[in-house]
Amino acid sequence: MKSFVTALLVLPFTLFPPVKLSAQLPSPASQTNVFLGTSGDHGQLSPAASYPFSMLSIGPQTYPQLHAGYEYKAKLFLGFTHNRFEGVGCKGSGGNILIKPFLGNNPSASRLVKTAESAAPGRYSVAFSNQIKADFAVVEKQGIEAYSFPVGAKGFYIDLSHTLANAFVAESHEVSGQQLNGFVEARTTCNVGTYKIYYALTIDRPVKWSDSSNHKLTAVLDAADTQVNIRMAFSSVDVAHAKANLGNQAYAAMRDAATTAWDDVLGKIEVKGDPERAKLFYSLLYRTMQSPYVISEPDGSFRATDGSLQQTKYPLYNGWAIWDNYRTQLPLLSIIQPERYQGITTSISNLYTYGKRDYATQHEPSNTVRTEHALVVLLDAYRKGYQVNLKSICDSLISDVDSLDYSHPDKALESSYDAWALSQVLRILKKDELSAKYLKKASDYKTYWKKDFEDLSKKDVDRVSARGLYQGTILQYRWFAPFDLKGLKELMGGEAAYIRQLDHFFDNDQYNHANEPDTQAPFMYNATAEAWKSQALVHQLASDTVVQYYFNDNSRGIDPFVDRIYKNTPDAYIRTMDDDAGAMSAWYVFAAAGLSPACVGWPVYYLNVPLFPELSLHVAKNKVFHITVENYVENRKYINKVRLNGRLLDRLWLSHEELMKGGELVITASDVPNKVLGINNIWISDLFANK
């Protein structure tokens, strides 16, 4: 087994200058469709005005309520809320502080019926049949809401107890002149933990407040006022910091600043090729950079997950969906957002210092989902050259692994991944005896696998959630041993049997792209002499028609989904498929770029033919990794030849170090597979590899 630890050590305090985009290309933000995945049960996304990695997002609340609070086809609006965790399950979460503009003297009698709307990264606009218009923009932790009203009685109805599917816990507020300040507490995603957000709100016109004492207020405007701005700012620290985050820029300046910020982060990857595919690409890349959220303040203040007030010298983050996105979104950020990723890595490490739960604590500084496999992420970051103080959290890592759940078949395999990661960390720390103990614990996955996953003759192997599985089947979870594909092949009877079983799995449409349990399976031919099968599968799943029988309401659909998974439409994705905080978007971004993580914990990427003839990854300051496809033709999906910096490669993988150095990768595409390329230099994960 070969692996490489990058020589690039990312400095935690360095912020890179904005990316200079090629003059002939449209800006990434202008190609981004924020309405992708916003209709029905197809992604759970919203078109809210947002800013990269900001906990504040101002978006529409429509009737009836969906996961993200918004339905593209809905006409009736309930108002606007100020956060939502994009793409998550459990029927959504967030939706704090509902503001409804109204006409007349009765807020409940004033209906908001949409007549037009538009949106782009950083901004959202809507017009209603009653002549009210609203334009929103968000920059960092502050936002502006620019309302236009007709002459006459009017005001704002504010519900401080509003949430989505997560429960409201408590709030406290204070009214002073045109200001409303306070905090809101609500349950995290899936109603497990609790988060607290402090806010500061100002209205730029005189108002008369009416407080109903049940968390609902009314701010009545003068009948002559037709242009009214609300400014909103958030903080996880306290009201004083929320107030400090309030700015005074006009809407147009805020909108332009937001666009510039989104162009900067989206421009970390430049693609050249089909314009419609480029729009899909940027629309999905956009979703990979909405979370986690910056929780620290410019003065270094932040709240830890135990509620304590702490200090930092660089931005820190919260708002995790690690179980969902640790194999896609987080590895992507480690490549194209290295300056942020050091802070993300430190923030994940801090969970072990201040308090970590598999889902959430009772003192979260922002909304969040879950943190399983955080240890795997830290190992991966360390091997990519990020600074991780493993020694200081070693005892907490051991305690975390010792408490893992092995009671269900899927839990046993997933817990074994963490046990393997701990064995690697302990080896790094020269704790060889302990490392051997946890390596043995990790190797016990084979016992669990033989017990539950070897015999496929049982009637329940194709039943979603059988034997207590989480959102998957025995047929799907049996492929989950990413840290030891060498051992998995042996369990299946050798490489020929492994390939035969993979063939049967995909030929019989048993794969489930509607959730994460088996999303690594399409890449698993790369661990064999038939890597070309992975090249074909990845291309099909990313850009062609597929057949999918599995859905996230735990049913094997009688009628399958037959369509492309990734479409630039409101009803994108498979029915019930969540984007899961950028997890599924990042899967596509990797596939489109021609590389995907081989095993999180080892800094290695498998190759496939990119979906564009040219693309460039801005991987570090003044370093660009160019990828070119020779003989590019639409749907030409096999790799015939690979050159890195002019040198022929007889392998179908790259190291993180090679990627982050910058350079040029040339992939020669073919209509037929090259069945000998790379067969003498296969990268395969091995439980007992030393490095």
Side-chain angles (χ1 to χ4, degrees):
M1 177 178 180
K2 298 181 175 68
S3 67
F4 295 83
V5 178
T6 175
L8 174 67
L9 186 59
V10 181
L11 296 177
F13 311 132
T14 304
L15 291 178
F16 297 158
V19 173
K20 294 182 179 179
L21 302 175
S22 301
Q24 70 271 24
L25 296 175
S27 72
S30 70
Q31 299 180 76
T32 301
N33 173 22
V34 300
F35 290 103
L36 183 154
T38 61
S39 183
D41 203 358
H42 294 268
Q44 330 310 345
L45 300 170
S46 87
S50 69
Y51 190 84
F53 307 100
S54 173
M55 65 171 66
L56 176 70
S57 62
I58 308 175
Q61 196 73 28
T62 60
Y63 177 84
Q65 181 168 295
L66 271 74
H67 280 58
Y70 172 84
E71 163 58 51
Y72 177 76
K73 298 174 184 176
K75 295 291 186 180
L76 183 62
F77 278 45
L78 304 177
F80 307 98
T81 54
H82 294 77
N83 63 349
R84 69 269 305 128
F85 210 124
E86 296 284 354
V88 299
C90 291
K91 298 183 179 179
S93 70
N96 296 127
I97 312 179
L98 174 77
I99 297 179
K100 176 186 177 182
F102 67 88
L103 299 181
N105 299 307
N106 184 355
S108 61
S110 182
R111 289 167 56 86
L112 297 173
V113 179
K114 177 179 70 176
T115 57
E117 70 180 341
S118 66
R123 69 163 187 88
Y124 174 83
S125 299
V126 63
F128 300 108
S129 60
N130 61 4
Q131 299 181 57
I132 293 177
K133 296 180 180 179
D135 298 286
F136 306 142
V138 171
V139 174
E140 296 179 344
K141 296 190 186 80
Q142 62 164 319
I144 186 169
E145 305 173 27
Y147 293 94
S148 297
F149 293 95
V151 173
K154 64 181 71 72
F156 296 105
Y157 166 80
I158 302 174
D159 183 356
L160 298 174
S161 65
H162 190 274
T163 58
L164 297 180
N166 55 315
F168 168 73
V169 174
E171 67 91 8
S172 177
H173 65 271
E174 178 182 348
V175 174
S176 177
Q178 294 159 231
Q179 297 184 359
L180 173 66
N181 308 309
F183 71 79
V184 172
E185 283 186 293
R187 302 294 279 173
T188 59
T189 309
C190 303
N191 285 292
V192 178
T194 303
Y195 66 92
K196 178 184 279 190
I197 290 175
Y198 297 90
Y199 66 90
L201 178 156
T202 64
I203 304 175
D204 73 348
R205 303 300 300 163
V207 294
K208 295 180 180 179
W209 292 97
S210 174
D211 193 334
S212 66
S213 299
N214 66 344
H215 316 300
K216 299 172 178 62
L217 301 89
T218 302
V220 177
L221 294 158
D222 188 279
D225 288 332
T226 58
Q227 304 296 319
V228 183
N229 292 332
I230 291 179
R231 296 184 185 276
M232 174 73 81
F234 275 2
S235 174
S236 67
V237 175
D238 54 31
V239 168
H241 282 85
K243 288 181 177 180
N245 287 332
L246 286 170
N248 57 11
Q249 285 185 305
Y251 167 76
M254 293 272 286
R255 177 200 62 206
D256 293 348
T259 300
T260 298
W262 277 113
D263 274 333
D264 181 28
V265 296
L266 295 171
K268 297 294 185 180
I269 305 180
E270 294 183 75
V271 298
K272 297 180 182 179
D274 178 71
E276 294 306 309
R277 182 170 284 176
K279 291 176 183 177
L280 173 62
F281 179 87
Y282 285 116
S283 300
L284 293 167
L285 180 61
Y286 167 74
R287 296 299 179 179
T288 70
M289 291 187 279
Q290 292 188 287
S291 63
Y293 313 120
V294 176
I295 57 165
S296 54
E297 296 295 340
D299 66 1
S301 302
F302 75 97
R303 296 275 178 189
T305 50
D306 62 357
S308 63
L309 184 61
Q310 302 292 335
Q311 283 286 316
T312 179
K313 294 181 179 179
Y314 50 88
L316 294 181
Y317 298 78
N318 197 61
W320 310 110
I322 298 177
W323 182 90
D324 304 275
N325 60 27
Y326 76 107
R327 289 178 290 161
T328 53
Q329 187 242 12
L330 291 175
L332 178 65
L333 297 182
S334 77
I335 297 170
I336 62 172
Q337 290 290 325
E339 73 284 6
R340 292 185 186 273
Y341 202 70
Q342 180 61 63
I344 289 171
T345 298
T346 300
S347 301
I348 294 174
S349 177
N350 281 349
L351 295 176
Y352 293 94
T353 302
Y354 298 111
K356 175 186 176 295
R357 297 291 183 271
D358 279 352
Y359 274 74
T361 71
Q362 300 308 311
H363 302 283
E364 294 290 339
S366 72
N367 197 0
T368 193
V369 187
R370 56 196 305 185
T371 62
E372 300 100 315
H373 303 306
L375 169 55
V376 177
V377 175
L378 293 178
L379 172 65
D380 189 68
Y382 179 86
R383 283 178 164 162
K384 289 175 177 175
Y386 289 95
Q387 296 177 350
V388 186
N389 191 343
L390 296 171
K391 183 177 180 180
S392 69
I393 60 172
C394 181
D395 289 345
S396 295
L397 296 175
I398 292 172
S399 177
D400 192 45
V401 170
D402 284 346
S403 65
L404 290 173
D405 182 7
Y406 288 79
S407 62
H408 299 293
D410 56 327
K411 291 289 188 181
L413 296 186
E414 292 201 35
S415 296
S416 298
Y417 197 179
D418 281 25
W420 169 80
L422 179 59
S423 76
Q424 302 300 294
V425 167
L426 292 168
R427 179 181 295 162
I428 291 166
L429 296 176
K430 310 298 183 184
K431 297 178 182 288
D432 294 340
E433 187 174 339
L434 272 177
S435 174
K437 172 186 172 180
Y438 286 98
L439 189 63
K440 171 62 171 64
K441 191 176 184 69
S443 70
D444 288 344
Y445 88 88
K446 297 178 181 180
T447 301
Y448 294 106
W449 193 91
K450 289 181 72 67
K451 173 180 175 290
D452 279 295
F453 297 102
E454 183 174 43
D455 183 0
L456 301 183
S457 66
K458 296 179 181 179
K459 294 181 179 179
D460 67 349
V461 297
D462 200 26
R463 187 188 310 153
V464 176
S465 296
R467 308 182 208 174
L469 297 177
Y470 178 72
Q471 296 182 333
T473 68
I474 292 292
L475 293 173
Q476 292 155 7
Y477 270 107
R478 72 192 300 263
W479 299 104
F480 192 85
F483 55 95
D484 189 29
L485 292 191
K486 181 176 183 290
L488 185 62
K489 284 202 294 186
E490 293 168 356
L491 283 171
M492 291 183 171
E495 179 162 310
Y498 170 93
I499 292 173
R500 193 163 55 247
Q501 291 180 52
L502 262 182
D503 288 346
H504 185 272
F505 179 68
F506 286 105
D507 290 346
N508 289 274
D509 302 315
Q510 294 168 347
Y511 171 71
N512 177 15
H513 202 78
N515 212 321
E516 286 82 13
D518 60 347
T519 52
Q520 81 288 350
F523 303 97
M524 291 175 66
Y525 288 104
N526 283 299
T528 75
E530 297 186 6
W532 54 273
K533 291 183 177 179
S534 278
Q535 296 161 25
L537 270 171
V538 172
H539 187 279
Q540 180 183 17
L541 289 163
S543 64
D544 208 344
T545 299
V546 302
V547 176
Q548 290 277 288
Y549 278 97
Y550 302 92
F551 306 101
N552 279 339
D553 49 9
N554 289 337
S555 65
R556 188 183 194 277
I558 296 173
D559 294 322
F561 170 93
V562 183
D563 201 350
R564 285 186 295 118
I565 298 171
Y566 294 99
K567 299 177 294 183
N568 198 7
T569 61
D571 59 348
Y573 293 164
I574 302 164
R575 179 179 71 80
T576 76
M577 177 176 163
D578 303 338
D579 187 57
D580 282 331
M584 293 306 197
S585 292
W587 192 100
Y588 175 89
V589 170
F590 267 125
L595 63 160
S596 294
C599 169
V600 178
W602 289 113
V604 176
Y605 304 91
Y606 287 134
L607 300 179
N608 62 273
V609 176
L611 299 184
F612 298 94
E614 294 181 57
L615 60 138
S616 299
L617 285 72
H618 296 260
V619 294
K621 186 177 181 180
N622 300 322
K623 290 185 179 180
V624 181
F625 192 80
H626 298 283
I627 303 175
T628 303
V629 181
E630 284 187 346
N631 297 339
Y632 178 89
V633 174
E634 183 75 15
N635 296 323
R636 184 171 282 170
K637 51 184 175 280
Y638 296 110
I639 298 177
N640 183 58
K641 187 166 54 179
V642 180
R643 295 196 305 275
L644 178 63
N645 299 323
R647 179 171 57 91
L648 276 174
L649 291 187
D650 186 26
R651 54 181 160 98
L652 291 163
W653 53 271
L654 292 179
S655 72
H656 186 77
E657 181 180 17
E658 289 170 325
L659 184 60
M660 298 303 284
K661 282 180 177 178
E664 183 175 23
L665 179 73
V666 179
I667 292 175
T668 303
S670 173
D671 290 321
V672 295
N674 181 340
K675 295 185 178 182
V676 298
L677 177 62
I679 61 173
N680 295 316
N681 195 349
I682 296 170
W683 193 94
I684 181 170
S685 58
D686 181 352
L687 184 72
F688 298 104
N690 291 322
K691 59 180 181 178

